[in-house]
Amino acid sequence: MKRSVALLSSAVLVVSLLTGCGGAAGKDSASKPADQTQPAQNGEQATQPDDVLDQFKKLTLPYTVEPKTALVEYKDGTLSAEEFETFLRVINFLNPMQGMMIESADQESLKMFAREYTATKILASRADAAMEKEAKELAEQTFESLKIQYMGLLGKDDAKFEKLMSNQGLDKETVVGQMELINKSMTVLRKGIDEPTLKKLYEGMDKESLTVASVRHILVSFEKHNNNQEETLQVANELVARLKKGEDFAKLATENTDDPGSKETGGLYADADVTQWVPEFKEAALKLPLNQISDPVKTDYGYHIMRVESRKEKTFDEMKKQLESQALEQAYDHFNKEELDKLITKYNIPETKPASK
């Protein structure tokens, strides 16, 4: 788990649900529609709501321990095995893919989960009345959003949703309570994040991190030409010549590009962060004069013919949400380094069961 549980708002977790459904169903979530109750196409058998319900199994814990066991002891409190199990079951409900990771976790991974959840408990205990109210309201709203997503998978059958929760040993109150706890911890961390803090972060960002560009391109891949670089370059140069004679870029890209990610948009990536691209492509996106056809740009994938159609730096207001997330992570890192390990006095993490073959 790359990011802390304390930093995973319930809203973020819910976004993960439909992606998780694809994994739980053993399907490719990138290529299948989220609503798998739609009519089948091309002779494929339709997935019925009952089948979807069967995909969401109760979490199988990879360890055995008495419910009252204190898995983590810290100043002014403990994390019991019972509390930890509830937390893990809710995470499985919010994000089935995360649940699959929990079932195969080793002892060290369980310790990480327990440490992060202990951090969430400690931070949440510092919330004042206003923070608690805000956290509860958000948790209630997010639960309703989560329910809508599940209902879309279950044929909008409320009884099936209730059965799904019951099968996992959960109810609304338990799920909302866990999301509220996470929200409270985040609200406490967010307390010290003000406008000057965010502006300081913004001013410290380099130009590349702020730049977005709309780039239209055609990829002539090495793979398609059996890794013959000379042949690949020759094809790319022929396309450059056709573009410079006035042929339509979008049409030519749709017909010739080897990049499936932009084929349907006529080769266009619109208003994209340049930092997401490979170095050579990024460099060209940053430096090419606007609306000029480039010479072939070589990357590990092949040769790209590029045209930068727009380029700008994002403003502070456009970056604000991203900056808030960054500041939140920094606040949590500070809590981790300066407080958490000093507050935790003992771990009693159970050994995990051998993975089934």
Side-chain angles (χ1 to χ4, degrees):
M1 189 167 57
K2 185 176 180 180
R3 297 183 65 195
S4 161
V5 169
L7 296 182
L8 289 173
S9 71
S10 48
V12 171
L13 289 167
V14 170
V15 169
S16 302
L17 170 64
L18 293 181
T19 306
C21 292
K27 294 183 180 289
D28 179 359
S29 60
S31 61
K32 296 290 184 181
D35 184 355
Q36 297 184 28
T37 64
Q38 294 296 319
Q41 297 181 3
N42 300 324
E44 180 181 336
Q45 185 176 354
T47 303
Q48 298 302 316
D50 283 334
D51 298 326
V52 177
L53 183 62
D54 290 342
Q55 293 163 12
F56 297 97
K57 304 294 186 182
K58 187 174 183 177
L59 183 72
T60 301
L61 296 175
Y63 61 88
T64 302
V65 68
E66 288 296 318
K68 301 301 180 185
T69 302
L71 299 185
V72 182
E73 299 174 29
Y74 59 93
K75 184 179 179 182
D76 301 327
T78 61
L79 170 62
S80 72
E82 189 173 33
E83 283 180 283
F84 189 49
E85 178 177 343
T86 299
F87 163 70
L88 295 180
R89 294 200 183 284
V90 170
I91 290 297
N92 178 60
F93 177 71
L94 294 172
N95 185 345
M97 289 297 286
Q98 192 78 48
M100 293 169 68
M101 291 174 60
I102 292 168
E103 290 188 339
S104 61
D106 58 19
Q107 190 176 31
E108 191 60 32
S109 297
L110 285 177
K111 181 179 178 181
M112 180 184 68
F113 274 102
R115 182 178 184 275
E116 301 288 6
Y117 188 48
T118 301
T120 300
K121 284 189 64 179
I122 293 171
L123 287 166
S125 70
R126 300 176 182 179
D128 58 28
M131 293 175 182
E132 290 178 355
K133 182 174 182 294
E134 178 186 338
K136 185 172 180 60
E137 289 175 354
L138 177 59
E140 292 279 358
Q141 292 167 9
T142 307
F143 180 84
E144 293 307 316
S145 297
L146 174 70
K147 182 176 178 179
I148 289 169
Q149 291 190 54
Y150 265 119
M151 292 285 278
L153 296 169
L154 298 171
K156 296 182 172 55
D157 188 329
D158 196 76
K160 290 186 184 296
F161 177 71
E162 294 300 324
K163 184 179 179 182
L164 184 149
M165 293 192 70
S166 176
N167 287 349
Q168 296 200 32
L170 297 171
D171 54 31
K172 177 181 176 179
E173 183 179 3
T174 301
V175 175
V176 169
Q178 289 293 316
M179 291 193 291
E180 183 181 350
L181 190 73
I182 294 171
N183 292 341
K184 281 195 289 186
S185 70
M186 293 185 67
T187 305
V188 169
L189 286 171
R190 199 178 284 118
K191 185 178 180 180
I193 300 172
D194 53 17
E195 195 90 347
T197 300
L198 298 180
K199 285 188 175 178
K200 186 176 180 180
L201 285 174
Y202 178 77
E203 290 164 1
M205 294 181 71
D206 60 63
K207 183 177 179 180
E208 288 184 7
S209 299
L210 294 172
T211 302
V212 294
S214 291
V215 178
R216 196 177 297 275
H217 84 123
I218 299 172
L219 168 63
V220 183
S221 72
F222 293 134
E223 183 180 5
K224 187 172 180 179
H225 296 275
N226 300 313
N227 291 316
N228 185 323
Q229 296 197 19
E230 289 184 6
E231 180 182 308
T232 307
L233 179 58
Q234 181 181 342
V235 173
N237 281 325
E238 289 170 0
L239 290 169
V240 169
R242 291 171 65 182
L243 287 168
K244 289 186 175 180
K245 287 179 180 177
E247 288 196 44
D248 183 74
F249 202 135
K251 183 174 183 294
L252 211 56
T254 301
E255 294 172 350
N256 293 276
T257 190
D258 296 325
D259 174 25
S262 65
K263 188 177 184 69
E264 299 304 316
T265 60
L268 180 65
Y269 285 110
D271 295 323
D273 291 325
V274 299
T275 53
Q276 70 180 288
W277 290 321
V278 294
E280 301 89 347
F281 195 99
K282 178 188 72 175
E283 192 73 11
L286 286 167
K287 293 184 176 179
L288 279 173
L290 294 182
N291 297 308
Q292 177 177 302
I293 305 298
S294 74
D295 291 327
V297 175
K298 184 181 179 182
T299 71
D300 289 341
Y301 299 100
Y303 285 99
H304 306 255
I305 303 102
M306 301 172 60
R307 184 175 73 192
V308 180
E309 300 187 350
S310 68
R311 183 169 51 225
K312 68 170 186 174
E313 290 183 22
K314 288 181 281 188
T315 65
F316 172 72
D317 287 338
E318 290 171 327
M319 288 290 295
K320 197 167 183 180
K321 286 190 179 296
Q322 183 177 328
L323 293 167
E324 286 173 348
S325 296
Q326 184 180 338
L328 201 58
E329 291 189 24
Q330 290 180 356
Y332 181 76
D333 285 344
H334 179 79
F335 170 75
N336 244 348
K337 293 173 183 176
E338 301 300 325
E339 295 189 65
L340 184 57
D341 288 331
K342 295 175 184 176
L343 294 172
I344 294 176
T345 56
K346 189 177 182 182
Y347 288 100
N348 303 295
I349 307 301
E351 293 186 7
T352 55
K353 304 170 187 175
S356 57
K357 296 182 180 179

